[in-house]
Amino acid sequence: MRDSAPDDAARRLVEEARPVLGAEGFSDERIDELAHAFVNDHIGKDSAEFVNWARAEGPFGLDPEEGF
């Protein structure tokens, strides 16, 4: 059975941070991606820390299909 705690924690971060990060130009997909990375990489679980970390990561991820 899969532990849903990380998914639940990421979902909570998304819900709390989406209004702030969305207003700053982050797409829903990018917020989801960052929230899962934040939780899965054990960076933290606090929404204020997440928002600050997400801002540092930026609103645009590297898309491997874009040929970077």
Side-chain angles (χ1 to χ4, degrees):
M1 179 174 202
R2 187 172 164 214
D3 182 8
S4 66
D7 289 338
D8 292 342
R11 191 172 9 264
R12 181 184 52 80
L13 288 174
V14 166
E15 290 172 5
E16 293 174 6
R18 191 177 312 276
V20 174
L21 294 176
E24 295 180 15
F26 286 75
S27 69
D28 288 344
E29 294 81 13
R30 180 66 172 156
I31 297 168
D32 292 342
E33 170 190 329
L34 290 170
H36 284 283
F38 188 76
V39 172
N40 291 334
D41 294 345
H42 306 288
I43 296 168
K45 292 183 180 175
D46 177 80
S47 61
E49 290 175 357
F50 170 63
V51 169
N52 289 331
W53 179 82
R55 286 175 174 149
E57 292 295 306
F60 307 105
L62 295 179
D63 185 348
E65 293 181 11
E66 290 182 9
F68 284 91

